[in-house]
Amino acid sequence: MLRWVIFVIIYLVLGFYSLQAIKTASRYPWVHYLFILLSLFVIGNFLYQFTGTDGGRVLSRPKSYAFGFLLAMLSFQMITIVFLFGEDIFRLFVGVYQKIFSTQKEFSIPSRRRFLSIIALGIAALPFGALLMGMYKGKYNYKVLKYQLEFDDLPDAFDGYQITQISDVHSGSFDNRSKVTYGIDLINKQQSDVILFTGDMVNNKMEEMLPWRDLFAKLEAKDGVYSVLGNHDYGDYVSWESEALKAQNLQDLKNLQKEMGFDLLLDSHRYLERNGEKIALLGVENWGRGGFKKAGDLEKAKQGVSKDDFKILMSHDPSHWEDVVIQDDYHFHLTLSGHTHGMQFGVEIPGWVKWSPVKWRYKYWAGVYQELGQFINVNRGFGFIGYPGRVGIWPEISVITLKKKGLT
């Protein structure tokens, strides 16, 4: 309870400070009252959603939107305060200087400068508006990102082989069937040889996928649809009445994937064949650094696979690639991961800049990387969780074409 009280006090102080900029910039009282009401509504809705019996752990759509609106308001307040606090230091310095070195007897601080408040509010409105637009439109702004990767030892028959990768569906967050349908159609439109899904089908429970199973069952590729589990698929982030119910939820999710036509790889492998040649497709359960579940067993998945085989590995968390996979003596040519979502927020201008705060936690967080002659593609995710939107880091459908070096 104390942490909520402290949080609300800090929020109100930030809001009061931002209100000073609004009062300086606008002389209309209704503008001031509108900001006060909006601020109170945002914090009130957030508290209502997150102080329930579950402690806010079940990320329902109302909770996600409450968090999103709070995030937008806090961004507005923080940027406004950066300008106002700097000006206040300057105003205080001027007041002290005038008291000491001028003839005036009373200590006074100069008034706020209106033009600076207007600039502060204008700049603060940019992330505020972007976060709101990300909730309205950005979360379904699907992008098809295409990569061509070359390998010396790719079997000739697989030259030009096309893979579509999707990841992090988080079906419990979806709220627009027509937009999700568009995304599914866009995946099928790529007409890839195989579709690979790298985990996190739900936020917490299998039942979240039920309204969407008919759509995802429409995914089709010549060589099939394969999948692995992500950290959210195990039901670890909600309370269960018993371990038996939690285990049943996981089994139901596995069964559901099978019903939809997904071949779920649980520390196992399959061979993809073409014209008498083959490549190995391996999939491990979730293995993540920093408190995430380490269920994946790479050694088990490798059983029956030759070192000489061309190998593609599906592993949800890219930290597995960094900590384990690239050092393995089996040499995994291509690893496909997701998990990071690119934090659903950042700046990307192809060929110029790619930045997100998530880079401070994950070295490999979005796109293709190469280390020790091995590739990884970290998919930015098809869905969203927590903040119900995306800004700058859009939902991704990866299309990867395998090429044999030296083969025309």
Side-chain angles (χ1 to χ4, degrees):
M1 184 63 183
L2 180 60
R3 64 189 178 94
W4 287 114
V5 173
I6 294 173
F7 174 74
V8 171
I9 291 174
I10 293 174
Y11 176 87
L12 293 177
V13 170
L14 294 177
F16 177 78
Y17 217 98
S18 297
L19 180 61
Q20 307 315 305
I22 294 175
K23 286 183 174 181
T24 302
S26 174
R27 306 294 196 271
Y28 299 102
W30 69 266
V31 176
H32 313 158
Y33 293 132
L34 179 62
F35 176 76
I36 293 172
L37 290 174
L38 182 61
S39 299
L40 293 177
F41 170 78
V42 168
I43 190 63
N45 183 45
F46 179 81
L47 292 174
Y48 173 76
Q49 296 295 340
F50 278 84
T51 56
T53 56
D54 66 358
R57 289 177 65 83
V58 179
L59 287 171
S60 62
R61 283 192 287 271
K63 280 189 175 69
S64 294
Y65 277 98
F67 174 70
F69 288 127
L70 179 72
L71 191 64
M73 182 59 73
L74 284 174
S75 71
F76 179 86
Q77 292 175 346
M78 294 300 294
I79 292 178
T80 304
I81 286 171
V82 167
F83 281 84
L84 265 62
F85 185 70
E87 184 188 23
D88 283 350
I89 293 176
F90 176 76
R91 291 167 60 215
L92 180 61
F93 176 80
V94 171
V96 172
Y97 179 85
Q98 290 178 343
K99 174 65 176 176
I100 296 175
F101 297 102
S102 69
T103 57
Q104 69 179 40
K105 297 181 180 179
E106 295 184 359
F107 176 73
S108 64
I109 297 177
S111 300
R112 295 187 187 278
R113 290 171 290 181
R114 185 168 182 266
F115 84 93
L116 190 61
S117 292
I118 292 175
I119 292 174
L121 294 173
I123 295 176
L126 295 177
F128 179 78
L131 286 166
L132 294 181
M133 184 59 67
M135 294 163 62
Y136 171 67
K137 189 174 182 179
K139 60 189 176 184
Y140 296 120
N141 187 25
Y142 299 111
K143 299 296 182 182
V144 177
L145 301 184
K146 297 187 177 183
Y147 307 98
Q148 182 171 295
L149 305 180
E150 295 186 345
F151 303 89
D152 291 316
D153 54 349
L154 179 71
D156 292 351
F158 285 87
D159 181 60
Y161 193 80
Q162 185 170 291
I163 299 166
T164 289
Q165 180 199 0
I166 57 172
S167 191
D168 299 88
V169 165
H170 290 288
S171 54
S173 300
F174 288 151
D175 56 10
N176 190 316
R177 188 173 179 85
S178 64
K179 296 293 187 181
V180 177
T181 300
Y182 168 76
I184 296 297
D185 291 341
L186 192 58
I187 294 170
N188 283 333
K189 187 178 180 181
Q190 306 312 309
Q191 297 184 324
S192 289
D193 295 293
V194 68
I195 295 175
L196 305 180
F197 169 63
T198 46
D200 277 0
M201 182 164 284
V202 297
N203 294 345
N204 297 296
K205 297 182 178 181
M206 178 278 294
E207 63 194 43
E208 299 166 4
M209 190 63 189
L210 295 180
W212 314 98
R213 60 180 170 182
D214 60 320
L215 295 182
F216 284 83
K218 295 179 181 179
L219 292 176
E220 57 182 2
K222 302 171 189 174
D223 291 340
V225 181
Y226 298 86
S227 62
V228 294
L229 296 175
N231 56 297
H232 279 267
D233 294 324
Y234 295 90
D236 288 341
Y237 306 127
V238 289
S239 300
W240 298 89
E241 292 182 6
S242 68
E243 284 299 315
L245 286 176
K246 180 180 178 182
Q248 186 60 53
N249 176 76
L250 179 57
Q251 186 58 51
D252 290 343
L253 181 61
K254 294 176 182 178
N255 294 340
L256 181 61
Q257 292 204 28
K258 184 176 181 180
E259 292 172 12
M260 294 190 306
F262 286 45
D263 188 351
L264 180 61
L265 302 183
L266 301 169
D267 297 332
S268 58
H269 69 273
R270 306 284 187 270
Y271 276 103
L272 305 175
E273 298 189 9
R274 173 170 287 191
N275 298 333
E277 295 184 298
K278 63 182 182 179
I279 60 177
L281 176 65
L282 302 89
V284 295
E285 295 198 47
N286 190 78
W287 191 106
R289 182 203 308 146
F292 289 106
K293 181 183 290 290
K294 289 181 170 62
D297 189 339
L298 186 60
E299 293 302 315
K300 182 179 178 182
K302 286 161 49 178
Q303 292 178 10
V305 177
S306 170
K307 280 187 177 183
D308 296 329
D309 289 332
F310 187 92
K311 295 172 285 296
I312 298 175
L313 174 67
M314 301 166 65
S315 181
H316 177 70
D317 192 318
S319 66
H320 187 216
W321 187 71
E322 181 181 0
D323 292 354
V324 178
V325 176
I326 57 175
Q327 305 298 333
D328 193 275
D329 62 356
Y330 254 53
H331 185 88
F332 291 90
H333 298 76
L334 172 62
T335 297
L336 302 176
S337 298
H339 181 63
T340 72
H341 301 205
M343 205 174 173
Q344 298 168 209
F345 176 85
V347 179
E348 283 197 86
I349 303 176
W352 290 87
V353 63
K354 183 176 77 172
W355 178 88
S356 168
V358 78
K359 67 177 293 185
W360 296 322
R361 174 157 188 178
Y362 292 96
K363 182 178 180 180
Y364 309 102
W365 60 273
V368 173
Y369 303 87
Q370 184 178 14
E371 297 284 353
L372 302 177
Q374 301 167 76
F375 290 97
I376 185 173
N377 181 56
V378 184
N379 184 282
R380 293 159 180 81
F382 186 84
F384 50 92
I385 190 174
Y387 166 61
R390 286 177 176 266
V391 178
I393 305 292
W394 311 120
E396 176 182 354
I397 299 166
S398 302
V399 178
I400 302 171
T401 302
L402 308 181
K403 296 294 292 183
K404 176 71 175 283
K405 280 187 180 180
L407 197 65
T408 57

